[in-house]
Amino acid sequence: MTAERSAGASAVEATRDSDADTLLTVDSLRKSFGGIDALNGVSFEVSSGTITGLIGPNGAGKSTTFNVISGVLSPDSGTVTFVDEEITGLPSHQTAQRGLVRTFQLAREFKNMTVLENLMVAPEGQAGEAAWRAVFPGTRDDVRHQEEEIFERAWEMLEFFDIDHLALENAGSLSGGQRKLLELARALMLDPELLLLDEPFAGVNPSLEERLLERIGTLREQGHTFLLVEHDMDLIMEHCERVIVMHQGETLVTGTPEEIKSEERVVEAYLGGDVA
């Protein structure tokens, strides 16, 4: 039966699957901008090893939710818990270090760097970034060894996404779809456990969309978890185990695709009707 959320109340217990391993818990998030409530008590859970869709009409608060979870924004109240650790308000680089990484609707590649360089710059804490190592020659072998490992991993990502032929091209010359592939490959260089994908298929042609879906499916089989925002309802219903519906800054309903399809309030929210 589809779990429901009453105004101002937490949906965490209502949406919990006792047989699943909960990876992310979002509880009663609130965020206002200039007196306007962007988030008004958003609550949901994401189980490990799943692909979960986050949907809702324009202005429902999906991107703001992503920004709060990933540390781009701090909530006014509420909590975000990832792998049993509260990460509410932590900056993005710290959430990434813990294994939670997001991509953006508009790819943010370094346009004047090559595709390969874009991948190699992603991992944090690289030994070669420390200026003091240049003073101590004995540490240079460690730097070289780490750079070789990062190069090998970057090349594996290029091959995995079938963009190895673009390795030496400037990222700014890529097509929109190729930028999406690079964005996801760069996120994976951080070895995340949970990826938040913000409209990963927007502007992607059908062949690249199919390739992305295949890669996401493979990564899920390898143990990665995905929470994605997407406007293509058919895609969400076909590829997600769970779906979270937002409306006017609130969690309207969560459930399986089959449950969501039969939920009248979801239809009303998308068609602009009143939501009971």
Side-chain angles (χ1 to χ4, degrees), residues 6-123:
S6 58
S10 169
V12 172
E13 292 301 324
T15 59
R16 174 171 288 129
D17 181 349
S18 59
D19 295 327
D21 182 13
T22 300
L23 186 67
L24 176 73
T25 302
V26 173
D27 193 6
S28 305
L29 289 183
R30 297 180 182 275
K31 183 67 179 179
S32 298
F33 299 99
I36 298 175
D37 293 332
L39 302 180
N40 187 25
V42 173
S43 299
F44 59 81
E45 290 186 344
V46 175
S47 297
S48 180
T50 62
I51 302 176
T52 300
L54 180 62
I55 65 173
N58 290 333
K62 303 182 298 296
S63 291
T64 302
T65 299
F66 262 32
N67 286 336
V68 171
I69 293 172
S70 60
V72 176
L73 295 172
S74 294
D76 298 330
S77 63
T79 60
V80 179
T81 303
F82 178 63
V83 195
D84 298 324
E85 177 187 3
E86 186 178 337
I87 61 169
T88 313
L90 288 182
S92 296
H93 71 277
Q94 291 188 22
T95 64
Q97 289 170 354
R98 286 161 170 77
L100 189 158
V101 176
R102 72 161 294 179
T103 65
F104 292 85
Q105 182 178 351
L106 299 176
R108 300 186 175 187
E109 73 281 354
F110 297 107
K111 299 182 185 297
N112 295 321
M113 297 175 66
T114 68
V115 171
L116 178 59
E117 289 169 340
N118 264 266
L119 294 184
M120 292 189 65
V121 77

Side-chain angles (χ1 to χ4, degrees), residues 157-166 174-175 177-182 184 188 200-201 204-219 226 235 239:
M157 287 294 107
L158 292 172
E159 293 179 337
F160 181 74
F161 286 98
D162 294 332
I163 54 174
D164 48 306
H165 62 290
L166 300 171
L174 301 182
S175 68
Q178 290 168 339
R179 287 191 177 102
K180 294 283 188 177
L181 293 171
L182 174 58
L184 184 51
L188 286 167
F201 307 104
V204 175
N205 66 49
S207 62
L208 278 177
E209 178 181 294
E210 186 63 29
R211 189 188 307 175
L212 268 172
L213 285 168
E214 289 176 358
R215 298 303 183 267
I216 289 172
T218 299
L219 290 166
F226 294 87
L235 186 151
H239 294 279

Side-chain angles (χ1 to χ4, degrees), residues 235-250:
L235 186 151
I236 288 288
M237 296 303 173
E238 182 177 352
H239 294 279
C240 295
E241 291 98 327
R242 301 287 294 178
V243 180
I244 304 157
V245 185
M246 292 185 62
H247 181 68
Q248 296 181 348
E250 299 183 359

